[in-house]
Amino acid sequence: MVGLLSSLFACLTAASLVSADGLNARAVAAGKKYFGTAISTTILNDASANAIGKNFQDFGQYTCENEMKFDATEPSRGSFSYGNADKIVAQAQANGQILRCHALVWHSQVPSWVTSGGFNNATLISIMQNHIANVVGHYKGKCYAWDVVNEALNEDGSYRSSGSVWGSTIGPAFIPIAFAAAAAADPGAKLYYNDYNCDKAGAKATGAQNLIKMVKSYGAPIHGFGMQGHMTTGQVGSASALVSNMQGFTALGVEVAYTELDMATPSSNPNFNQQATDYATVVSACKQVAGCVGITIWGFTDRYTWISNSAPLPWDTNFQKKAAYASILNAWGSAGTGSSTTTATMTTTIVTSSTTSAGPAPSGGGGCAAAHWAQCGGTGYTGCTTCASPYTCQYSNAWYSQCL
């Protein structure tokens, strides 16, 4: 009996260890708020991909890739469409994942009724404010953060006007107006400015810092800066340079996050070892800055990357983990309940113990209850199938169910 109880306890402990490890689990153990991914309805409709995307231990946060942008949410004036985004929000809520909501005002993916409407300054401001009020209001209380304004700067740090209906009609004032409107629609959300090529010190990073100061000078709230992090393998540089740049933003009283991280490498001749090193460099930099709250990769599998002829993500086109996965995991440090190496060793020991001393571990019943987040089912799983109160065993995929 003692042997049986020891085996059951070891089984429960191993299940907890296994379920508590992953990219997000390591990030949280390192003191960050999340490690997340961009996700789309394309992923939701691919069962194999979605099984990875739903795993809370790897992804504690979602960003809708396109489903919350202007053209998707207000395709015609005053007519709002939320169906696709709502599906992603529902999945995030079911899995306990944080939402970074993206993006309210951008020069791209704006419907033609806006860009070709010939609206004057006052009318376009009212259109923008109405859009923000409706979209942010629809998701009020569900978004940890909003990317309020996206990519409003030129490479030299000046404000974009060419190609931007907002910049060319309203001027830079559209930025603080948008932040004020977002704050009014959801006072509880963090409000971010989001842009690319600001990962290292330079003209554009300085321009982004000046934009933050400008928004504050208008009296509008701004809480964060999103460094998109679209990088190229072999060109990332040192962690110390990334840290110094982030500190330039946090010194302004805002938090920072990598919001769209990927690491381009040619799919025809990839350098996955260097890619893994570069991902680890970015993680190490974020880890060193208290105000860096988390990292979002812009998708997780090369099958659905937005970058053509590239293999920029931690999973390959066949949904297999690449070297980058392990490098990110290790760069965060040990998980809160033990490293992945320890977990694997314990699992092997437990299987041997339960087989030799007490037979297979029971499937539920007998007082066996899996803890919150622990595994409770799946092909080949022989542990507890009943969850500790008040949690229930929820199906994730054929190989994994979890107490949620």
Side-chain angles (χ1 to χ4, degrees):
M1 183 64 179
V2 173
L4 175 60
L5 290 175
S6 298
S7 178
L8 288 175
F9 177 76
C11 178
L12 177 59
T13 303
S16 298
L17 281 171
V18 171
S19 68
D21 201 15
L23 305 180
N24 180 58
R26 296 282 182 106
V28 172
K32 301 306 174 184
K33 193 170 184 68
Y34 59 81
F35 187 93
T37 182
I39 199 158
S40 65
T41 51
T42 300
I43 296 293
L44 265 60
N45 292 331
D46 183 326
S48 297
N50 203 33
I52 299 170
K54 288 168 66 176
N55 182 2
F56 178 86
Q57 304 309 330
D58 277 328
F59 304 122
Q61 173 268 320
Y62 280 174
T63 300
C64 290
E65 187 170 3
N66 293 296
E67 289 80 359
M68 288 186 180
K69 291 173 181 172
F70 206 125
D71 59 349
T73 52
E74 193 179 0
S76 59
R77 188 173 182 179
S79 178
F80 293 88
S81 176
Y82 300 114
N84 285 333
D86 284 352
K87 293 175 185 177
I88 294 172
V89 172
Q91 178 162 298
Q93 290 182 315
N95 293 331
Q97 289 153 322
I98 296 167
L99 283 162
R100 287 197 78 264
C101 295
H102 170 87
L104 294 168
V105 185
W106 185 27
H107 65 275
S108 186
Q109 289 183 240
V110 184
S112 59
W113 71 263
V114 177
T115 57
S116 302
F119 301 113
N120 62 23
N121 179 292
T123 304
L124 193 59
I125 289 174
S126 69
I127 287 170
M128 182 182 71
Q129 290 173 321
N130 183 63
H131 178 80
I132 292 171
N134 277 273
V135 177
V136 177
H138 180 78
Y139 294 109
K140 183 177 181 179
K142 298 178 181 179
C143 301
Y144 164 74
W146 268 104
D147 289 329
V148 178
V149 175
N150 195 48
E151 301 176 6
L153 297 175
N154 296 310
E155 290 304 298
D156 63 0
S158 62
Y159 293 105
R160 185 194 298 268
S161 59
S162 177
S164 170
V165 66
W166 316 108
S168 61
T169 305
I170 304 171
F174 86 84
I175 301 168
I177 293 171
F179 275 87
D186 188 353
K190 299 276 191 179
L191 307 181
Y192 271 63
Y193 173 65
N194 193 56
D195 213 331
Y196 61 95
N197 287 351
C198 296
D199 315 291
K200 301 176 185 177
K204 195 168 188 182
T206 299
Q209 292 166 8
N210 289 335
L211 182 150
I212 292 167
K213 296 174 185 177
M214 183 266 286
V215 172
K216 290 188 172 189
S217 74
Y218 274 75
I222 181 168
H223 308 110
F225 174 60
M227 291 177 293
Q228 291 185 11
H230 296 299
M231 300 182 181
T232 300
T233 296
Q235 299 180 21
V236 171
S238 68
S240 60
L242 300 180
V243 167
S244 177
N245 184 58
M246 278 188 277
Q247 290 172 336
F249 286 93
T250 59
L252 300 176
V254 298
E255 64 186 40
V256 295
Y258 284 97
T259 55
E260 304 181 20
L261 181 63
D262 46 34
M263 205 66 65
T265 187
S267 55
S268 58
N269 186 29
N271 187 343
F272 291 141
N273 289 333
Q274 183 62 49
Q275 183 184 66
T277 297
D278 291 338
Y279 266 112
T281 296
V282 175
V283 170
S284 173
C286 179
K287 187 178 176 181
Q288 294 176 57
V289 178
C292 181
V293 299
I295 294 175
T296 307
I297 51 176
W298 205 239
F300 54 85
T301 169
D302 293 337
R303 179 173 294 195
Y304 296 120
T305 177
W306 70 286
I307 309 174
S308 59
N309 303 315
S310 184
L313 298 168
W315 278 259
D316 67 18
T317 56
N318 294 316
F319 307 126
Q320 299 301 303
K321 295 172 183 175
K322 293 154 60 177
Y325 181 92
S327 74
I328 296 170
L329 200 68
N330 292 330
W332 283 126
S334 297
T337 53
S339 69
S340 56
T341 302
T342 303
T343 301
T345 302
M346 284 196 69
T347 302
T348 302
T349 302
I350 288 156
V351 170
T352 302
S353 172
S354 63
T355 301
T356 57
S357 63
S363 298
C368 180
H372 190 203
W373 307 122
Q375 186 174 4
C376 54
T379 302
Y381 175 73
T382 58
C384 307
T385 56
T386 299
C387 297
S389 179
Y391 308 110
T392 59
C393 190
Q394 297 188 22
Y395 176 88
S396 176
N397 56 61
W399 298 272
Y400 194 82
S401 294
Q402 186 177 23
C403 291
L404 298 171

